[in-house]
Amino acid sequence: MKVAFYGRLAEAVGTELDIEAPPGCSIAELRNKVIAEHPQAEEALRNRRARACVGDAIVHDSYALTATDRVEFLPPVSGG
Amino acid sequence: MSIVARLEEHALKPEQELAALLEEAKGGGAIVSFTGIARPGSKGGLAVDRLVLEHHPTLTPQSLEDIAVEAAQRFDVSQVRVVHRCGAVEAGEPIVFAGAAALHRRAAFEAADYLMDRLKTEAVFWKREIGDAGSEWIEPTERDYADRERWG
C-alpha cells in the first residue's frame, strides 16, 4: 500500500513508502507498521495533532483501509 | 459577497491585494487587512534567512477556501480576501494577506482576526525556518491554538 508523508514526516521517512498492509487494516495498525519499520517517525506520527487522510478526507484511527486506498499522514499544520 | 482565497507561488504584494479589496468594497464603509511577514529571527534569537512553506496539492487550497467562506458566513462582511504564500519566502517578505470589508468596522476587524487565528492553526502548510540554526520545523504554539478556540 502506498503511504505518503508531508512536512517533518517526509523529512524523517521520505515522501512515499510502500507498506504491506492487509485489506481491512486500520489506520492505527498502519501507523504501528510504519513506526515498526521507521522508528524515527514515531514522535511525529503519534503527535495528537497529526492526521491521516484518505482521498483528501481526514479519517480516524478506526478507518478500515481498502486495497486501493492511498493514505497520507500529515504532521500538525501551520499557516500564517 | 466576494470571496477570494488564493495560494500564491510568487511574491505576495499586499498593496495590490488591498487595492483589489478597496475596488471590490465600493459602497462599504470599512476595510481591515492584515499582512504577515517572515521574521528575520527565530524564537531563540538566531538569524533566519527564509521560511519554506510546503503544501498539499488539494488540501491546502481547500483549507484556504473553507476558512474564507466560513469567515464570510460568520460575520456581516461584504468581501473576504485571503492570499497565502507557498514555497520559499525570504525574511522580510510577506507570507499572508487576510482582509475583510464590511459596512461597519467591527465586523471587518473581527473577520480579519478570525481569518488569522484559523489560518495559523488550520491552513494546511508545513513551515520550516532556514537560518543560523539550520532547518527548524515551526508548528503553532499553545497560544495559537487557544486563540483559535476563542471562536468555538
Side-chain angles (χ1 to χ4, degrees), chain A residues 6-11 47-49 53 56-58 72-80, chain B residues 54 56 58-59 84 95-96 119-127 137-140 142 145:
Chain A
Y6 290 85
R8 67 168 74 229
L9 278 168
E11 188 176 67
N47 184 303
R48 68 191 173 97
R49 298 189 191 273
C53 246
D56 290 342
I58 304 288
E72 297 177 299
F73 281 109
L74 316 179
V77 299
S78 175
Chain B
E54 297 180 12
H56 185 285
T58 53
L59 294 175
H84 206 300
I95 302 178
V96 62
L119 288 164
K120 289 295 285 185
T121 53
E122 294 173 53
V124 178
F125 293 95
W126 298 282
K127 208 159 60 177
W137 292 100
I138 306 298
E139 289 176 0
E142 286 309 314
Y145 290 120

Side-chain angles (χ1 to χ4, degrees), chain B residues 76-96:
Chain B
D76 191 11
V77 293
S78 52
Q79 273 79 28
V80 171
R81 177 172 284 260
V82 170
V83 183
H84 206 300
R85 276 296 313 271
C86 61
V89 180
E90 299 299 316
E93 286 186 358
I95 302 178
V96 62

Side-chain angles (χ1 to χ4, degrees), chain B residues 61-79:
Chain B
Q62 190 60 56
S63 67
L64 299 180
E65 180 76 21
D66 289 348
I67 291 167
V69 166
E70 284 160 37
Q73 289 168 347
R74 182 168 180 144
F75 302 98
D76 191 11
V77 293
S78 52
Q79 273 79 28

Side-chain angles (χ1 to χ4, degrees), chain B:
Chain B
M1 169 66 69
S2 110
I3 298 171
V4 172
R6 192 172 87 241
L7 181 64
E8 178 60 65
E9 293 178 23
H10 305 293
L12 195 172
K13 298 200 164 59
E15 65 279 15
Q16 289 183 5
E17 304 305 331
L18 181 58
L21 202 49
L22 276 160
E23 183 63 31
E24 291 162 0
K26 281 184 176 154
I31 290 176
V32 170
S33 76
F34 172 88
T35 300
I37 296 165
R39 287 188 195 92
S42 69
K43 277 208 178 84
L46 294 171
V48 173
D49 299 324
R50 71 187 64 87
L51 287 181
V52 176
L53 293 109
E54 297 180 12
H55 71 285
H56 185 285
T58 53
L59 294 175
T60 301
Q62 190 60 56
S63 67
L64 299 180
E65 180 76 21
D66 289 348
I67 291 167
V69 166
E70 284 160 37
Q73 289 168 347
R74 182 168 180 144
F75 302 98
D76 191 11
V77 293
S78 52
Q79 273 79 28
V80 171
R81 177 172 284 260
V82 170
V83 183
H84 206 300
R85 276 296 313 271
C86 61
V89 180
E90 299 299 316
E93 286 186 358
I95 302 178
V96 62
F97 177 94
L103 206 50
H104 302 287
R105 72 181 184 283
R106 186 69 56 209
F109 272 118
E110 287 183 344
D113 198 14
Y114 171 90
L115 285 168
M116 281 315 304
D117 283 347
R118 292 206 51 197
L119 288 164
K120 289 295 285 185
T121 53
E122 294 173 53
V124 178
F125 293 95
W126 298 282
K127 208 159 60 177
R128 275 182 297 144
E129 281 179 352
I130 313 284
D132 285 358
S135 169
E136 294 272 352
W137 292 100
I138 306 298
E139 289 176 0
T141 61
E142 286 309 314
R143 176 65 194 269
D144 291 330
Y145 290 120
D147 285 344
R148 162 65 187 93
E149 288 310 309
R150 292 184 300 146
W151 306 101

Side-chain angles (χ1 to χ4, degrees), chain A:
Chain A
M1 172 173 293
K2 300 280 187 206
V3 183
F5 302 90
Y6 290 85
R8 67 168 74 229
L9 278 168
E11 188 176 67
V13 303
T15 55
E16 190 173 86
L17 292 175
D18 230 326
I19 302 284
E20 217 163 295
C25 173
S26 70
I27 292 290
E29 289 164 337
L30 180 67
R31 182 186 295 109
N32 289 339
K33 279 176 181 287
V34 174
I35 290 168
E37 291 179 29
H38 301 275
Q40 72 276 23
E42 176 160 17
E43 193 183 338
L45 272 173
R46 295 209 190 280
N47 184 303
R48 68 191 173 97
R49 298 189 191 273
R51 296 284 178 266
C53 246
V54 174
D56 290 342
I58 304 288
V59 291
H60 293 290
D61 274 10
S62 58
Y63 177 89
L65 293 158
T66 68
T68 56
D69 279 343
R70 180 174 183 272
V71 180
E72 297 177 299
F73 281 109
L74 316 179
V77 299
S78 175

